[in-house]
């Protein structure tokens, strides 16, 4: 077996090069990667370098963390996973010892080793990768490995919806109909919520939001988002407002959309300072950020397997591994057209 990996040589330039074949530790598996989803953080990394630059300027930087495939080797202590199993992997490996890990919030472990970022910048765009068996999940027979790779972004939406308390009767606004916004929409739907309004400025994304179950959509470029939302949901606004666009403008807008006693969930990565008019939300509104996910993979896999969560409909573009450079270039040049890009690894 021969291994290669796609490396970010400099911002804007990917190169596929030979890589050593991974050898599993006692508690690890080796995965033959079949699909890798292209996350917004990967696209940002391609364009500008990682959000957190490595301390060593010679550090090799890989991209990709949403992946699934088939197990080709297991360590001596691995019992529940065997060669030939179709699996996906949870890309963050926490320390397991700190206060946050011990309290069950391993997603905010300060020493987490997350694919394509610090400390190792090891990417999933590779033929073979090793990973702890404890962070590896078998896929049901009715799920393929493309769906398996998309469990990762779906788990982000699931975690956000759970933290927000999405359930029947809640009035919800989702700002942003990109991948994470649409995953959040589906997560809220899977928990029984139905009064969901999705806001974006791209018609293609709004059409997809409607297809995936949004009660109403608003084009923020053409309509007054606040006024239109209150026409749909009522004068008090929304119980829950999700910011998934990662925009200071939409982050600021959340306070105008949330009702008294409601909740603002910041899911997107919002850069810079955002002014918040606390006087406008001083009627017991909660503001919460969410970071990745914790303990959400099994329930997300079940939601996809049962048909309550449709991740494949969000895939607009599939690229071959050898076209990885073009894949990332088009992720930037065709932002209005691409909802979710996926890279297919060689068979």
């Amino acid at each position: 077996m021969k291994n290669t990996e796609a490396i970010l040589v400099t911002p804007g330039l990917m190169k596929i090069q030979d890589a050593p074949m991974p050898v599993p530790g006692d508690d690890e598996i080796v995965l033959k990667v079949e699909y890798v989803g292209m996350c917004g953080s990967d696209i940002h990394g391609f364009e500008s370098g990682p959000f957190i630059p490595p301390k060593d300027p010679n550090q090799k930087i890989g991209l990709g963390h949403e992946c699934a495939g088939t197990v080709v080797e297991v360590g001596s202590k691995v019992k529940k996973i065997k060669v030939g199993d179709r699996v996906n992997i949870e890309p963050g490996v926490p320390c397991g010892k700190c206060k946050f890990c011990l309290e069950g919030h391993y997603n905010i472990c300060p020493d987490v080793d997350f694919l394509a970022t610090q400390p190792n910048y090891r990417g999933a765009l590779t033929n073979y990768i090793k990973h702890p068996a404890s962070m590896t999940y078998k896929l049901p027979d009715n799920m393929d490995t493309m769906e398996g790779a998309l469990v990762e972004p779906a788990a982000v939406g699931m975690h956000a919806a759970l933290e927000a308390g999405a359930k029947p009767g809640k009035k919800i606004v989702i700002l942003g109909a990109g991948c994470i916004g649409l995953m959040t929409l589906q997560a809220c739907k899977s928990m029984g919520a139905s009064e969901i309004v999705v806001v974006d400025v791209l018609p293609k994304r709004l059409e997809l939001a409607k297809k995936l179950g949004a009660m109403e959509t608003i084009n923020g470029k053409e309509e007054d988002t606040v006024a239109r939302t209150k026409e749909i949901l009522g004068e008090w606004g929304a119980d829950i407002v999700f910011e998934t666009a990662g925009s200071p403008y939409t982050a600021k807008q959340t306070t105008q959309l949330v009702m008294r006693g409601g909740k603002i969930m910041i899911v997107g990565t919002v850069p810079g300072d955002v002014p918040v008019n606390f006087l406008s939300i001083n009627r017991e509104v909660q503001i919460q950020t969410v970071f990745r996910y914790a303990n959400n993979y099994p329930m997300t896999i079940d939601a996809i397997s049962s048909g309550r969560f449709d991740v494949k409909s969000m895939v607009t573009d599939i690229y071959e591994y050898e076209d990885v450079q073009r894949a990332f270039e088009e992720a930037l040049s065709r932002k209005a057209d691409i909802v979710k890009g996926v890279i297919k690894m060689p068979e």
Side-chain angles (χ1 to χ4, degrees):
M1 293 184 289
K2 180 183 177 182
N3 196 23
T4 66
E5 58 189 358
I7 296 299
L8 183 68
V9 180
T10 60
L13 179 62
M14 297 290 291
K15 179 183 178 183
I16 296 175
Q17 62 184 35
D18 290 341
M21 189 69 189
V23 177
D26 290 344
D27 298 305
E28 295 179 322
I29 59 98
V30 173
L31 178 72
K32 184 182 187 302
V33 181
E34 295 175 13
Y35 285 96
V36 181
M38 298 172 67
C39 176
S41 63
D42 298 318
I43 296 163
H44 174 276
F46 173 77
E47 182 178 28
S48 307
F51 279 113
I52 303 175
K55 295 177 181 178
D56 181 358
N58 297 314
Q59 170 75 51
K60 185 167 61 175
I61 296 174
L63 295 179
H65 58 265
E66 306 170 2
C67 71
T70 302
V71 176
V72 295
E73 191 175 355
V74 299
S76 61
K77 294 182 180 178
V78 177
K79 304 301 181 186
K80 295 183 179 180
I81 296 171
K82 64 183 185 301
V83 171
D85 283 345
R86 296 158 50 259
V87 302
N88 65 5
I89 62 176
E90 188 168 342
V93 181
C95 75
K97 300 174 183 178
C98 70
K99 162 186 167 65
F100 308 104
C101 286
L102 295 175
E103 291 177 351
H105 304 296
Y106 64 84
N107 55 320
I108 53 174
C109 169
D111 295 316
V112 66
D113 181 2
F114 198 90
L115 288 181
T117 187
Q118 59 178 344
N120 297 314
Y121 297 88
R122 184 175 56 109
L125 283 167
T126 181
N127 303 97
Y128 299 94
I129 192 170
K130 68 177 182 178
H131 204 68
S134 61
M135 307 299 281
T136 301
Y137 300 84
K138 289 184 185 180
L139 299 177
D141 291 341
N142 67 341
M143 273 181 68
D144 61 33
T145 49
M146 181 192 290
E147 291 172 305
L150 297 177
V151 167
E152 199 276 346
V156 174
M158 191 69 80
H159 181 61
L162 281 168
E163 289 292 303
K167 60 184 179 181
K170 291 291 185 182
K171 297 181 178 183
I172 295 170
V173 173
I174 300 172
L175 298 172
C179 176
I180 297 302
L182 294 173
M183 293 295 192
T184 304
L185 162 65
Q186 294 202 72
C188 291
K189 289 284 292 182
S190 75
M191 294 171 192
S194 59
E195 293 183 85
I196 306 172
V197 177
V198 177
V199 184
D200 204 285
V201 297
L202 298 175
K204 183 174 183 177
R205 294 185 177 189
L206 292 173
E207 289 171 16
L208 186 52
K210 196 74 173 174
K211 177 183 175 182
L212 292 173
M215 181 179 74
E216 294 285 351
T217 61
I218 298 171
N219 188 320
K221 185 184 288 185
E222 299 175 357
E223 301 178 83
D224 182 325
T225 297
V226 176
R228 182 71 183 116
T229 295
K230 292 183 178 181
E231 282 180 18
I232 299 166
L233 297 181
E235 64 174 312
W236 296 112
D239 293 288
I240 308 167
V241 181
F242 293 94
E243 198 294 320
T244 72
S247 163
Y249 177 80
T250 48
K252 184 177 179 181
Q253 205 170 41
T254 59
T255 61
Q256 303 170 61
L257 296 166
V258 69
M259 69 168 64
R260 298 176 180 215
K263 195 163 194 177
I264 295 169
M265 298 295 292
I266 304 296
V267 188
T269 303
V270 182
D273 296 329
V274 178
V276 176
N277 182 348
F278 284 102
L279 184 61
S280 69
I281 56 168
N282 71 347
R283 300 298 188 271
E284 299 201 353
V285 168
Q286 299 178 58
I287 302 176
Q288 182 176 343
T289 62
V290 289
F291 188 63
R292 296 174 182 157
Y293 35 75
N295 307 300
N296 298 119
Y297 259 52
M299 69 178 70
T300 306
I301 290 171
D302 179 70
I304 295 169
S305 175
S306 67
R308 292 179 290 120
F309 214 123
D310 178 8
V311 292
K312 269 192 171 178
S313 288
M314 296 171 53
V315 177
T316 50
D317 295 78
I318 301 174
Y319 297 92
E320 298 295 330
Y321 178 49
E322 59 263 31
D323 295 326
V324 63
Q325 176 70 23
R326 179 169 68 88
F328 279 99
E329 287 177 351
E330 291 192 2
L332 293 173
S333 66
R334 297 179 50 234
K335 282 183 179 179
D337 299 318
I338 298 176
V339 176
K340 187 64 180 180
V342 171
I343 295 174
K344 182 181 180 182
M345 303 301 291
E347 295 181 8

